[in-house]
Amino acid sequence: IKYMCLYKRPFNEHFEQAPMYVAVLTYLGFGVGTIFGYLRDFMRACGLESCNLAAEREEQKDFVPLYQDFENFYTRNLYMRIRDNWNRPICSVPGPQFDLMERVTDDFNWTFRFTGRTIKDVINMGSYNYLGFAETDANALKTLADVLQNYGTGVCSTRQEMGNLDKHIELENLVARFLDVEAAMVFGMGFATNSMNIPSLVGKGCLILSDELNHTSLVLGARLSGATIRIFKHNNMQSLEKLLRDAIAYGQPRSRRAWKKILILVEGIYSMEGSIVRLPEIVALKKRYKAYLYLDEAHSIGAVGPTGRGVVEYFGMDPEDVDVLMGTFTKSFGAAGGYIAGKKELVDFLRTHSHSAIYATSMCPPVAEQIIRSMKCVMGLDGTTQGLQRVRQLGENTRYFRRRLHEMGFIVYGNDDSPVVPLLLYMPGKIGAFARRMLDKNIGVVVVGFPATPIAESRARFCVSAAHTREMLDTVRTADVLVKLTSDARGAGRSYKSVTLNLNNSFCFCFS
């Protein structure tokens, strides 16, 4: 309540709890799967069933094992049952619709073979193509063809040696202008932007306060830094403030010396929850306790804010309130790589201390040109309002799709303005059944389960794009697999808020 005055607009997020019976059935599903997994392992040990997973050779049995048997239990007995729903080969541009290469399995997903058939015009609800810039329009890509002709495909050197091109400098100046900061630096890989730069900013004697739902790249970067890491509950300001207060009061363990730095790690939009960071509250806390703030805007830059400038603009805040602005070009800008922006002193420091800047190959020129082209479009520097229209269309599509799913009664996580839309499935068998049924209707969805999510919160994750038409979104939400579930819930007399996916083969992966 005390922080509500910091918000200039309504902040609505939904994390509705499922009914108790859903949780019970979910754990029961994992329990049944585990029991049958041990039974299958016993049969494999007795030679009654073959196992195609990696195993030690007989002549190396006395060696230190490379493969821990128990660690592969989940992969061997549960993941393999539904493995066909991941790594699907796409053979077209990942736009609002794409083409899939059809594949089948003859040994329960251990191996696959292609049929030679292509599944055409599948509605793409899984790509991070938020603004629809992953396109192949000849006119739009003309500048990329020119850069490819003049610069070639790659640099084959680091920025510190012979890989610092004028295109990189142009892009960095444009990013700094876009974010309204003093300077920016770009990197060839989004994941490495976090994992390789956080160790340059903090080290031994420093404290990192990390949101419990942070991306793996942030987690890896924090671990590589050697700093002490403490976790606070997701978007919970009471949890964060307690850690900050204790850090100031008690200092480092044993020595009780003051921490050299305290760095708060958060994301703009959390890619598994569809949640938006409570930035005004976190900024207020970091100022009060003299900490630093590292903001990962991989999913929020270009996707939220009146002109697509991320959560800082979304909340109407000053970019100088955030010490380290990080983002990627792999989502909204239809390219690859990442950036870090902020004060000039920060960027100059990273140019000489960042492992990614010193050792990694520079961003290839055509990719840099694609980012420049799409960013200029968003900023209106191309002489059109197309970029602003895309940002507004994304917001309209997001709010429409979320609202209709809520009206149908499904439990949907996240913020009303987040284009990441997690629809909760809960039970393990439903992960595969849902994705397969949707693909039968020419709808491609991403399904996620344990260990990427909590064990009782498996989900389908829709990613809305500005390139989606209202007809596409209606086709997805009116797919028979969703409509039937809603009608079943009504027939059973359940509350709309208790609708969960009740597919007949919820436990099919245990017995196949």
PDB file of all heavy atoms in Angstrom, residues 294-330:
ATOM      1  N   TYR A 294      20.437  -3.717 -11.754  1.00  0.00           N
ATOM      2  CA  TYR A 294      20.713  -4.301 -13.066  1.00  0.00           C
ATOM      3  C   TYR A 294      19.385  -4.804 -13.617  1.00  0.00           C
ATOM      4  O   TYR A 294      18.777  -5.712 -13.057  1.00  0.00           O
ATOM      5  CB  TYR A 294      21.721  -5.443 -12.923  1.00  0.00           C
ATOM      6  CG  TYR A 294      22.222  -6.068 -14.206  1.00  0.00           C
ATOM      7  CD1 TYR A 294      23.534  -5.875 -14.623  1.00  0.00           C
ATOM      8  CD2 TYR A 294      21.402  -6.885 -14.984  1.00  0.00           C
ATOM      9  CE1 TYR A 294      24.016  -6.467 -15.789  1.00  0.00           C
ATOM     10  CE2 TYR A 294      21.866  -7.476 -16.151  1.00  0.00           C
ATOM     11  CZ  TYR A 294      23.169  -7.269 -16.543  1.00  0.00           C
ATOM     12  OH  TYR A 294      23.651  -7.857 -17.699  1.00  0.00           O
ATOM     13  N   LEU A 295      18.924  -4.209 -14.715  1.00  0.00           N
ATOM     14  CA  LEU A 295      17.611  -4.530 -15.286  1.00  0.00           C
ATOM     15  C   LEU A 295      17.770  -5.228 -16.631  1.00  0.00           C
ATOM     16  O   LEU A 295      18.317  -4.663 -17.577  1.00  0.00           O
ATOM     17  CB  LEU A 295      16.786  -3.247 -15.448  1.00  0.00           C
ATOM     18  CG  LEU A 295      15.434  -3.367 -16.156  1.00  0.00           C
ATOM     19  CD1 LEU A 295      14.501  -4.289 -15.382  1.00  0.00           C
ATOM     20  CD2 LEU A 295      14.811  -1.990 -16.343  1.00  0.00           C
ATOM     21  N   ASP A 296      17.278  -6.467 -16.707  1.00  0.00           N
ATOM     22  CA  ASP A 296      17.314  -7.261 -17.936  1.00  0.00           C
ATOM     23  C   ASP A 296      15.993  -7.044 -18.692  1.00  0.00           C
ATOM     24  O   ASP A 296      14.940  -7.509 -18.254  1.00  0.00           O
ATOM     25  CB  ASP A 296      17.520  -8.739 -17.585  1.00  0.00           C
ATOM     26  CG  ASP A 296      17.522  -9.637 -18.812  1.00  0.00           C
ATOM     27  OD1 ASP A 296      17.104  -9.195 -19.888  1.00  0.00           O
ATOM     28  OD2 ASP A 296      17.932 -10.809 -18.674  1.00  0.00           O
ATOM     29  N   GLU A 297      16.084  -6.352 -19.827  1.00  0.00           N
ATOM     30  CA  GLU A 297      14.874  -6.064 -20.603  1.00  0.00           C
ATOM     31  C   GLU A 297      14.787  -6.903 -21.874  1.00  0.00           C
ATOM     32  O   GLU A 297      14.286  -6.437 -22.905  1.00  0.00           O
ATOM     33  CB  GLU A 297      14.827  -4.576 -20.957  1.00  0.00           C
ATOM     34  CG  GLU A 297      14.584  -3.672 -19.776  1.00  0.00           C
ATOM     35  CD  GLU A 297      13.700  -2.491 -20.125  1.00  0.00           C
ATOM     36  OE1 GLU A 297      12.491  -2.703 -20.320  1.00  0.00           O
ATOM     37  OE2 GLU A 297      14.227  -1.377 -20.221  1.00  0.00           O
ATOM     38  N   ALA A 298      15.226  -8.134 -21.800  1.00  0.00           N
ATOM     39  CA  ALA A 298      15.217  -8.999 -22.979  1.00  0.00           C
ATOM     40  C   ALA A 298      13.823  -9.101 -23.593  1.00  0.00           C
ATOM     41  O   ALA A 298      13.656  -9.004 -24.813  1.00  0.00           O
ATOM     42  CB  ALA A 298      15.739 -10.385 -22.609  1.00  0.00           C
ATOM     43  N   HIS A 299      12.806  -9.315 -22.761  1.00  0.00           N
ATOM     44  CA  HIS A 299      11.448  -9.506 -23.263  1.00  0.00           C
ATOM     45  C   HIS A 299      10.611  -8.239 -23.223  1.00  0.00           C
ATOM     46  O   HIS A 299       9.497  -8.236 -23.749  1.00  0.00           O
ATOM     47  CB  HIS A 299      10.738 -10.594 -22.452  1.00  0.00           C
ATOM     48  CG  HIS A 299      11.234 -11.971 -22.732  1.00  0.00           C
ATOM     49  ND1 HIS A 299      10.659 -12.791 -23.683  1.00  0.00           N
ATOM     50  CD2 HIS A 299      12.255 -12.683 -22.193  1.00  0.00           C
ATOM     51  CE1 HIS A 299      11.313 -13.941 -23.719  1.00  0.00           C
ATOM     52  NE2 HIS A 299      12.277 -13.902 -22.816  1.00  0.00           N
ATOM     53  N   SER A 300      11.103  -7.193 -22.622  1.00  0.00           N
ATOM     54  CA  SER A 300      10.282  -5.986 -22.476  1.00  0.00           C
ATOM     55  C   SER A 300      10.676  -4.865 -23.427  1.00  0.00           C
ATOM     56  O   SER A 300       9.837  -4.040 -23.795  1.00  0.00           O
ATOM     57  CB  SER A 300      10.354  -5.471 -21.031  1.00  0.00           C
ATOM     58  OG  SER A 300      11.694  -5.241 -20.625  1.00  0.00           O
ATOM     59  N   ILE A 301      11.935  -4.810 -23.870  1.00  0.00           N
ATOM     60  CA  ILE A 301      12.334  -3.732 -24.768  1.00  0.00           C
ATOM     61  C   ILE A 301      11.626  -3.929 -26.115  1.00  0.00           C
ATOM     62  O   ILE A 301      11.650  -5.004 -26.715  1.00  0.00           O
ATOM     63  CB  ILE A 301      13.877  -3.685 -24.949  1.00  0.00           C
ATOM     64  CG1 ILE A 301      14.300  -2.397 -25.647  1.00  0.00           C
ATOM     65  CG2 ILE A 301      14.400  -4.916 -25.656  1.00  0.00           C
ATOM     66  CD1 ILE A 301      14.073  -1.160 -24.839  1.00  0.00           C
ATOM     67  N   GLY A 302      10.966  -2.906 -26.574  1.00  0.00           N
ATOM     68  CA  GLY A 302      10.185  -2.988 -27.807  1.00  0.00           C
ATOM     69  C   GLY A 302       8.787  -3.531 -27.617  1.00  0.00           C
ATOM     70  O   GLY A 302       7.917  -3.320 -28.460  1.00  0.00           O
ATOM     71  N   ALA A 303       8.551  -4.230 -26.506  1.00  0.00           N
ATOM     72  CA  ALA A 303       7.275  -4.912 -26.317  1.00  0.00           C
ATOM     73  C   ALA A 303       6.297  -4.150 -25.422  1.00  0.00           C
ATOM     74  O   ALA A 303       5.087  -4.347 -25.537  1.00  0.00           O
ATOM     75  CB  ALA A 303       7.515  -6.314 -25.730  1.00  0.00           C
ATOM     76  N   VAL A 304       6.792  -3.300 -24.523  1.00  0.00           N
ATOM     77  CA  VAL A 304       5.922  -2.520 -23.650  1.00  0.00           C
ATOM     78  C   VAL A 304       6.372  -1.065 -23.655  1.00  0.00           C
ATOM     79  O   VAL A 304       7.487  -0.746 -24.078  1.00  0.00           O
ATOM     80  CB  VAL A 304       5.901  -3.073 -22.205  1.00  0.00           C
ATOM     81  CG1 VAL A 304       5.290  -4.454 -22.139  1.00  0.00           C
ATOM     82  CG2 VAL A 304       7.307  -3.073 -21.608  1.00  0.00           C
ATOM     83  N   GLY A 305       5.516  -0.211 -23.155  1.00  0.00           N
ATOM     84  CA  GLY A 305       5.791   1.218 -23.185  1.00  0.00           C
ATOM     85  C   GLY A 305       5.079   1.867 -24.361  1.00  0.00           C
ATOM     86  O   GLY A 305       4.905   1.229 -25.412  1.00  0.00           O
ATOM     87  N   PRO A 306       4.639   3.118 -24.238  1.00  0.00           N
ATOM     88  CA  PRO A 306       3.907   3.797 -25.310  1.00  0.00           C
ATOM     89  C   PRO A 306       4.634   3.802 -26.647  1.00  0.00           C
ATOM     90  O   PRO A 306       4.008   3.730 -27.703  1.00  0.00           O
ATOM     91  CB  PRO A 306       3.725   5.220 -24.766  1.00  0.00           C
ATOM     92  CG  PRO A 306       3.791   5.078 -23.284  1.00  0.00           C
ATOM     93  CD  PRO A 306       4.759   3.965 -23.028  1.00  0.00           C
ATOM     94  N   THR A 307       5.973   3.881 -26.623  1.00  0.00           N
ATOM     95  CA  THR A 307       6.741   3.867 -27.873  1.00  0.00           C
ATOM     96  C   THR A 307       7.733   2.707 -27.914  1.00  0.00           C
ATOM     97  O   THR A 307       8.720   2.750 -28.650  1.00  0.00           O
ATOM     98  CB  THR A 307       7.500   5.200 -28.059  1.00  0.00           C
ATOM     99  OG1 THR A 307       8.410   5.399 -26.966  1.00  0.00           O
ATOM    100  CG2 THR A 307       6.536   6.366 -28.126  1.00  0.00           C
ATOM    101  N   GLY A 308       7.491   1.682 -27.103  1.00  0.00           N
ATOM    102  CA  GLY A 308       8.298   0.471 -27.154  1.00  0.00           C
ATOM    103  C   GLY A 308       9.644   0.554 -26.492  1.00  0.00           C
ATOM    104  O   GLY A 308      10.539  -0.236 -26.799  1.00  0.00           O
ATOM    105  N   ARG A 309       9.821   1.476 -25.552  1.00  0.00           N
ATOM    106  CA  ARG A 309      11.130   1.632 -24.908  1.00  0.00           C
ATOM    107  C   ARG A 309      11.245   0.873 -23.598  1.00  0.00           C
ATOM    108  O   ARG A 309      12.095   1.186 -22.762  1.00  0.00           O
ATOM    109  CB  ARG A 309      11.442   3.110 -24.731  1.00  0.00           C
ATOM    110  CG  ARG A 309      11.871   3.789 -26.034  1.00  0.00           C
ATOM    111  CD  ARG A 309      11.822   5.297 -25.960  1.00  0.00           C
ATOM    112  NE  ARG A 309      12.491   5.932 -27.097  1.00  0.00           N
ATOM    113  CZ  ARG A 309      11.956   6.106 -28.300  1.00  0.00           C
ATOM    114  NH1 ARG A 309      10.727   5.663 -28.533  1.00  0.00           N
ATOM    115  NH2 ARG A 309      12.625   6.706 -29.267  1.00  0.00           N
ATOM    116  N   GLY A 310      10.402  -0.125 -23.391  1.00  0.00           N
ATOM    117  CA  GLY A 310      10.558  -1.023 -22.257  1.00  0.00           C
ATOM    118  C   GLY A 310       9.852  -0.582 -20.992  1.00  0.00           C
ATOM    119  O   GLY A 310       9.060   0.358 -20.976  1.00  0.00           O
ATOM    120  N   VAL A 311      10.187  -1.269 -19.887  1.00  0.00           N
ATOM    121  CA  VAL A 311       9.474  -1.037 -18.635  1.00  0.00           C
ATOM    122  C   VAL A 311       9.800   0.316 -18.015  1.00  0.00           C
ATOM    123  O   VAL A 311       9.006   0.856 -17.252  1.00  0.00           O
ATOM    124  CB  VAL A 311       9.761  -2.167 -17.617  1.00  0.00           C
ATOM    125  CG1 VAL A 311       9.190  -3.484 -18.081  1.00  0.00           C
ATOM    126  CG2 VAL A 311      11.244  -2.302 -17.341  1.00  0.00           C
ATOM    127  N   VAL A 312      10.964   0.870 -18.323  1.00  0.00           N
ATOM    128  CA  VAL A 312      11.286   2.203 -17.804  1.00  0.00           C
ATOM    129  C   VAL A 312      10.278   3.210 -18.340  1.00  0.00           C
ATOM    130  O   VAL A 312       9.716   4.019 -17.593  1.00  0.00           O
ATOM    131  CB  VAL A 312      12.724   2.606 -18.182  1.00  0.00           C
ATOM    132  CG1 VAL A 312      13.015   4.030 -17.717  1.00  0.00           C
ATOM    133  CG2 VAL A 312      13.738   1.641 -17.557  1.00  0.00           C
ATOM    134  N   GLU A 313      10.007   3.150 -19.628  1.00  0.00           N
ATOM    135  CA  GLU A 313       8.997   4.028 -20.216  1.00  0.00           C
ATOM    136  C   GLU A 313       7.600   3.617 -19.786  1.00  0.00           C
ATOM    137  O   GLU A 313       6.725   4.463 -19.583  1.00  0.00           O
ATOM    138  CB  GLU A 313       9.103   3.999 -21.741  1.00  0.00           C
ATOM    139  CG  GLU A 313       8.136   4.960 -22.428  1.00  0.00           C
ATOM    140  CD  GLU A 313       8.109   4.801 -23.927  1.00  0.00           C
ATOM    141  OE1 GLU A 313       8.026   3.644 -24.402  1.00  0.00           O
ATOM    142  OE2 GLU A 313       8.161   5.829 -24.619  1.00  0.00           O
ATOM    143  N   TYR A 314       7.369   2.323 -19.642  1.00  0.00           N
ATOM    144  CA  TYR A 314       6.053   1.813 -19.234  1.00  0.00           C
ATOM    145  C   TYR A 314       5.608   2.437 -17.916  1.00  0.00           C
ATOM    146  O   TYR A 314       4.437   2.772 -17.729  1.00  0.00           O
ATOM    147  CB  TYR A 314       6.127   0.289 -19.117  1.00  0.00           C
ATOM    148  CG  TYR A 314       4.867  -0.378 -18.636  1.00  0.00           C
ATOM    149  CD1 TYR A 314       3.821  -0.637 -19.514  1.00  0.00           C
ATOM    150  CD2 TYR A 314       4.735  -0.793 -17.305  1.00  0.00           C
ATOM    151  CE1 TYR A 314       2.677  -1.274 -19.080  1.00  0.00           C
ATOM    152  CE2 TYR A 314       3.586  -1.427 -16.867  1.00  0.00           C
ATOM    153  CZ  TYR A 314       2.553  -1.661 -17.748  1.00  0.00           C
ATOM    154  OH  TYR A 314       1.412  -2.286 -17.324  1.00  0.00           O
ATOM    155  N   PHE A 315       6.553   2.598 -16.999  1.00  0.00           N
ATOM    156  CA  PHE A 315       6.240   3.192 -15.700  1.00  0.00           C
ATOM    157  C   PHE A 315       6.481   4.709 -15.669  1.00  0.00           C
ATOM    158  O   PHE A 315       6.315   5.340 -14.621  1.00  0.00           O
ATOM    159  CB  PHE A 315       7.063   2.531 -14.597  1.00  0.00           C
ATOM    160  CG  PHE A 315       6.634   1.124 -14.289  1.00  0.00           C
ATOM    161  CD1 PHE A 315       7.441   0.044 -14.648  1.00  0.00           C
ATOM    162  CD2 PHE A 315       5.433   0.870 -13.650  1.00  0.00           C
ATOM    163  CE1 PHE A 315       7.056  -1.254 -14.361  1.00  0.00           C
ATOM    164  CE2 PHE A 315       5.035  -0.430 -13.362  1.00  0.00           C
ATOM    165  CZ  PHE A 315       5.836  -1.498 -13.725  1.00  0.00           C
ATOM    166  N   GLY A 316       6.901   5.287 -16.797  1.00  0.00           N
ATOM    167  CA  GLY A 316       7.150   6.718 -16.852  1.00  0.00           C
ATOM    168  C   GLY A 316       8.297   7.160 -15.975  1.00  0.00           C
ATOM    169  O   GLY A 316       8.264   8.230 -15.360  1.00  0.00           O
ATOM    170  N   MET A 317       9.379   6.367 -15.955  1.00  0.00           N
ATOM    171  CA  MET A 317      10.511   6.647 -15.088  1.00  0.00           C
ATOM    172  C   MET A 317      11.700   7.188 -15.877  1.00  0.00           C
ATOM    173  O   MET A 317      11.742   7.109 -17.112  1.00  0.00           O
ATOM    174  CB  MET A 317      10.907   5.377 -14.322  1.00  0.00           C
ATOM    175  CG  MET A 317       9.775   4.810 -13.469  1.00  0.00           C
ATOM    176  SD  MET A 317      10.299   3.399 -12.490  1.00  0.00           S
ATOM    177  CE  MET A 317      11.404   4.213 -11.338  1.00  0.00           C
ATOM    178  N   ASP A 318      12.661   7.702 -15.161  1.00  0.00           N
ATOM    179  CA  ASP A 318      13.887   8.234 -15.750  1.00  0.00           C
ATOM    180  C   ASP A 318      14.881   7.090 -15.944  1.00  0.00           C
ATOM    181  O   ASP A 318      15.156   6.335 -15.003  1.00  0.00           O
ATOM    182  CB  ASP A 318      14.486   9.295 -14.831  1.00  0.00           C
ATOM    183  CG  ASP A 318      15.650  10.045 -15.474  1.00  0.00           C
ATOM    184  OD1 ASP A 318      16.242   9.522 -16.434  1.00  0.00           O
ATOM    185  OD2 ASP A 318      15.961  11.154 -15.004  1.00  0.00           O
ATOM    186  N   PRO A 319      15.445   6.926 -17.158  1.00  0.00           N
ATOM    187  CA  PRO A 319      16.438   5.854 -17.361  1.00  0.00           C
ATOM    188  C   PRO A 319      17.627   5.946 -16.417  1.00  0.00           C
ATOM    189  O   PRO A 319      18.270   4.926 -16.137  1.00  0.00           O
ATOM    190  CB  PRO A 319      16.877   6.052 -18.821  1.00  0.00           C
ATOM    191  CG  PRO A 319      15.736   6.774 -19.469  1.00  0.00           C
ATOM    192  CD  PRO A 319      15.151   7.648 -18.406  1.00  0.00           C
ATOM    193  N   GLU A 320      17.933   7.124 -15.920  1.00  0.00           N
ATOM    194  CA  GLU A 320      19.058   7.261 -15.002  1.00  0.00           C
ATOM    195  C   GLU A 320      18.793   6.596 -13.655  1.00  0.00           C
ATOM    196  O   GLU A 320      19.720   6.410 -12.867  1.00  0.00           O
ATOM    197  CB  GLU A 320      19.380   8.740 -14.790  1.00  0.00           C
ATOM    198  CG  GLU A 320      19.970   9.421 -16.018  1.00  0.00           C
ATOM    199  CD  GLU A 320      20.461  10.819 -15.719  1.00  0.00           C
ATOM    200  OE1 GLU A 320      20.349  11.254 -14.541  1.00  0.00           O
ATOM    201  OE2 GLU A 320      20.961  11.478 -16.643  1.00  0.00           O
ATOM    202  N   ASP A 321      17.531   6.242 -13.378  1.00  0.00           N
ATOM    203  CA  ASP A 321      17.214   5.538 -12.134  1.00  0.00           C
ATOM    204  C   ASP A 321      17.726   4.103 -12.145  1.00  0.00           C
ATOM    205  O   ASP A 321      17.805   3.465 -11.100  1.00  0.00           O
ATOM    206  CB  ASP A 321      15.696   5.532 -11.898  1.00  0.00           C
ATOM    207  CG  ASP A 321      15.172   6.915 -11.543  1.00  0.00           C
ATOM    208  OD1 ASP A 321      15.954   7.733 -11.017  1.00  0.00           O
ATOM    209  OD2 ASP A 321      13.979   7.173 -11.781  1.00  0.00           O
ATOM    210  N   VAL A 322      18.031   3.588 -13.328  1.00  0.00           N
ATOM    211  CA  VAL A 322      18.536   2.219 -13.464  1.00  0.00           C
ATOM    212  C   VAL A 322      20.022   2.299 -13.803  1.00  0.00           C
ATOM    213  O   VAL A 322      20.412   2.927 -14.785  1.00  0.00           O
ATOM    214  CB  VAL A 322      17.779   1.448 -14.565  1.00  0.00           C
ATOM    215  CG1 VAL A 322      18.310   0.025 -14.680  1.00  0.00           C
ATOM    216  CG2 VAL A 322      16.283   1.444 -14.286  1.00  0.00           C
ATOM    217  N   ASP A 323      20.840   1.653 -13.000  1.00  0.00           N
ATOM    218  CA  ASP A 323      22.292   1.751 -13.175  1.00  0.00           C
ATOM    219  C   ASP A 323      22.784   1.002 -14.407  1.00  0.00           C
ATOM    220  O   ASP A 323      23.659   1.484 -15.123  1.00  0.00           O
ATOM    221  CB  ASP A 323      23.001   1.218 -11.925  1.00  0.00           C
ATOM    222  CG  ASP A 323      22.604   1.994 -10.682  1.00  0.00           C
ATOM    223  OD1 ASP A 323      23.042   3.148 -10.546  1.00  0.00           O
ATOM    224  OD2 ASP A 323      21.818   1.466  -9.880  1.00  0.00           O
ATOM    225  N   VAL A 324      22.243  -0.204 -14.637  1.00  0.00           N
ATOM    226  CA  VAL A 324      22.665  -1.014 -15.783  1.00  0.00           C
ATOM    227  C   VAL A 324      21.417  -1.453 -16.540  1.00  0.00           C
ATOM    228  O   VAL A 324      20.600  -2.212 -16.025  1.00  0.00           O
ATOM    229  CB  VAL A 324      23.474  -2.252 -15.352  1.00  0.00           C
ATOM    230  CG1 VAL A 324      23.997  -2.988 -16.588  1.00  0.00           C
ATOM    231  CG2 VAL A 324      24.625  -1.870 -14.430  1.00  0.00           C
ATOM    232  N   LEU A 325      21.270  -0.962 -17.763  1.00  0.00           N
ATOM    233  CA  LEU A 325      20.166  -1.362 -18.638  1.00  0.00           C
ATOM    234  C   LEU A 325      20.670  -2.410 -19.609  1.00  0.00           C
ATOM    235  O   LEU A 325      21.578  -2.155 -20.409  1.00  0.00           O
ATOM    236  CB  LEU A 325      19.640  -0.151 -19.410  1.00  0.00           C
ATOM    237  CG  LEU A 325      18.787   0.851 -18.629  1.00  0.00           C
ATOM    238  CD1 LEU A 325      18.680   2.156 -19.395  1.00  0.00           C
ATOM    239  CD2 LEU A 325      17.400   0.280 -18.370  1.00  0.00           C
ATOM    240  N   MET A 326      20.103  -3.589 -19.518  1.00  0.00           N
ATOM    241  CA  MET A 326      20.504  -4.668 -20.425  1.00  0.00           C
ATOM    242  C   MET A 326      19.292  -5.097 -21.246  1.00  0.00           C
ATOM    243  O   MET A 326      18.157  -5.051 -20.786  1.00  0.00           O
ATOM    244  CB  MET A 326      21.047  -5.859 -19.621  1.00  0.00           C
ATOM    245  CG  MET A 326      21.435  -7.076 -20.466  1.00  0.00           C
ATOM    246  SD  MET A 326      20.045  -8.215 -20.674  1.00  0.00           S
ATOM    247  CE  MET A 326      20.739  -9.360 -21.875  1.00  0.00           C
ATOM    248  N   GLY A 327      19.524  -5.499 -22.480  1.00  0.00           N
ATOM    249  CA  GLY A 327      18.443  -6.009 -23.317  1.00  0.00           C
ATOM    250  C   GLY A 327      19.008  -6.845 -24.444  1.00  0.00           C
ATOM    251  O   GLY A 327      20.232  -6.926 -24.632  1.00  0.00           O
ATOM    252  N   THR A 328      18.117  -7.478 -25.194  1.00  0.00           N
ATOM    253  CA  THR A 328      18.550  -8.294 -26.330  1.00  0.00           C
ATOM    254  C   THR A 328      17.851  -7.826 -27.601  1.00  0.00           C
ATOM    255  O   THR A 328      16.805  -7.177 -27.558  1.00  0.00           O
ATOM    256  CB  THR A 328      18.253  -9.788 -26.104  1.00  0.00           C
ATOM    257  OG1 THR A 328      16.833  -9.978 -26.004  1.00  0.00           O
ATOM    258  CG2 THR A 328      18.928 -10.294 -24.846  1.00  0.00           C
ATOM    259  N   PHE A 329      18.432  -8.207 -28.720  1.00  0.00           N
ATOM    260  CA  PHE A 329      17.860  -7.906 -30.029  1.00  0.00           C
ATOM    261  C   PHE A 329      17.187  -9.132 -30.630  1.00  0.00           C
ATOM    262  O   PHE A 329      16.759  -9.116 -31.773  1.00  0.00           O
ATOM    263  CB  PHE A 329      18.960  -7.428 -30.981  1.00  0.00           C
ATOM    264  CG  PHE A 329      19.738  -6.247 -30.460  1.00  0.00           C
ATOM    265  CD1 PHE A 329      21.094  -6.353 -30.198  1.00  0.00           C
ATOM    266  CD2 PHE A 329      19.115  -5.033 -30.229  1.00  0.00           C
ATOM    267  CE1 PHE A 329      21.825  -5.270 -29.731  1.00  0.00           C
ATOM    268  CE2 PHE A 329      19.832  -3.940 -29.752  1.00  0.00           C
ATOM    269  CZ  PHE A 329      21.184  -4.059 -29.497  1.00  0.00           C
ATOM    270  N   THR A 330      17.089 -10.207 -29.862  1.00  0.00           N
ATOM    271  CA  THR A 330      16.600 -11.477 -30.388  1.00  0.00           C
ATOM    272  C   THR A 330      15.085 -11.587 -30.376  1.00  0.00           C
ATOM    273  O   THR A 330      14.540 -12.531 -30.934  1.00  0.00           O
ATOM    274  CB  THR A 330      17.182 -12.636 -29.556  1.00  0.00           C
ATOM    275  OG1 THR A 330      16.821 -12.443 -28.181  1.00  0.00           O
ATOM    276  CG2 THR A 330      18.692 -12.676 -29.659  1.00  0.00           C
TER     277      THR A 330
END
